[in-house]
Amino acid sequence: MPEKTRDETPEKTPTAPTVREVMAELAGLEDPRIRAVNEKHGDDHGVNLTKLRALAKRLKTQPGLARDLWATDDTAARLLALLVCRPKSYDRDELDAMLRRARTPKVHDWLVNYVVKKNPHAEELRVAWTADPDPVVASAGWALTTERVAKKPAGLDLTALLDTVESEMKDAPDRLQWAMNHCLAQIGIDHPEHRPRALAIGERLGVLKDYPTPPGCTSPYAPVWITEIVRRQQEKPTPTTTT
């Protein structure tokens, strides 16, 4: 029997990494100093996010691995799962369950921003979550509403949103208050006809007025936030056209 030539020898295809292998790699990236900082914000992991993103880039999209990583309930693994998943592959009930079990703020934020916003059920979930009695779940609904205020405002009742913010934001729990405040600022930034009222609501409620803001960053206090972003937009040079 003749020997196979090099061209006839089947190439070995690389095998996808197992959850155990990925978890071991994440464990190798653990940094106690990063964990200490993250734990102050409620995030129980110690992996540098730049390194986590580099790992995700190497793994590429792997929906099956993403689901397995999510099932570990490990925060770093879940963050990685949200980077390598296929957002449109999740159904409505899956996303609802995932949000309610997200546990940590970073996982919650990434789930909403990297997965739910790209999923066909986003609008249905926005409506349901905004009305949810759990303030953390409701904050996700407000985050999705802010996205619509900025990108697809048609059909939204901005006056009603401002009414709700005005009556509920002051006494809302922290996560929900932050999300409502972002929505207030976005309305003021993107919709000039509502800007005076958005500014007035922010000034009257004073939410996040004393929030410690690092140098070079914009305060989350809505009147300052709105004013600063509008100023930047107005200072942008007008594009010139040539004939």
Side-chain angles (χ1 to χ4, degrees):
M1 181 175 179
E3 289 187 7
K4 288 184 178 181
T5 66
R6 179 178 297 179
D7 291 337
E8 294 171 329
T9 303
E11 292 183 4
K12 290 184 178 180
T13 56
T15 57
T18 65
V19 172
R20 180 177 295 182
E21 289 169 340
V22 174
M23 294 298 291
E25 189 160 356
L26 288 171
L29 296 175
E30 176 77 16
D31 185 329
R33 295 169 298 178
I34 293 175
R35 177 176 284 274
V37 172
N38 286 338
E39 286 181 342
K40 293 179 181 178
H41 303 286
D43 292 307
D44 55 350
H45 78 93
V47 178
N48 178 287
L49 294 183
T50 300
K51 294 179 180 180
L52 187 77
R53 291 180 188 278
L55 174 56
K57 186 176 181 180
R58 177 159 52 82
L59 291 173
K60 300 181 180 179
T61 302
Q62 296 198 43
L65 177 63
R67 280 184 162 85
D68 291 341
L69 288 170
W70 180 270
T72 66
D73 197 31
D74 177 85
T75 294
R78 284 187 161 184
L79 292 174
L80 182 60
L82 297 173
L83 294 176
V84 301
C85 75
R86 183 172 288 117
K88 293 181 180 180
S89 70
Y90 294 100
D91 64 33
R92 181 202 181 285
D93 291 342
E94 277 184 294
L95 291 174
D96 184 71
M98 290 168 72
L99 184 81
R100 295 176 190 280
R101 298 169 186 160
R103 288 197 305 105
T104 69
K106 184 65 72 176
V107 171
H108 178 279
D109 291 344
W110 281 22
L111 175 62
V112 172
N113 286 297
Y114 297 164
V115 181
V116 180
K117 287 181 180 180
K118 300 176 183 178
N119 184 277
H121 300 287
E123 178 59 16
E124 182 184 355
L125 290 168
R126 180 189 75 82
V127 174
W129 287 345
T130 303
D132 199 278
D134 183 331
V136 175
V137 174
S139 73
W142 278 90
L144 294 173
T145 300
T146 300
E147 176 87 351
R148 272 205 61 186
V149 166
K151 297 183 178 179
K152 296 180 181 178
L156 285 178
D157 188 339
L158 299 181
T159 298
L161 286 174
L162 290 175
D163 289 343
T164 302
V165 169
E166 188 169 25
S167 63
E168 299 180 12
M169 183 173 73
K170 181 74 172 179
D171 298 319
D174 289 349
R175 300 268 299 273
L176 178 55
Q177 184 184 73
W178 187 275
M180 295 176 81
N181 182 71
H182 190 176
C183 190
L184 172 66
Q186 203 69 53
I187 292 172
I189 291 166
D190 291 334
H191 301 277
E193 69 277 19
H194 293 284
R195 190 172 297 149
R197 187 181 177 201
L199 289 167
I201 290 172
E203 289 171 359
R204 183 163 58 257
L205 299 184
V207 169
L208 300 175
K209 186 174 184 178
D210 300 320
Y211 189 84
T213 306
C217 296
T218 302
S219 169
Y221 175 49
V224 173
W225 189 353
I226 294 168
T227 302
E228 175 60 19
I229 299 303
V230 170
R231 181 192 67 78
R232 293 181 193 176
Q233 291 174 345
Q234 292 173 343
E235 288 182 354
K236 286 183 179 179
T238 304
T240 57
T241 58
T242 57
T243 58

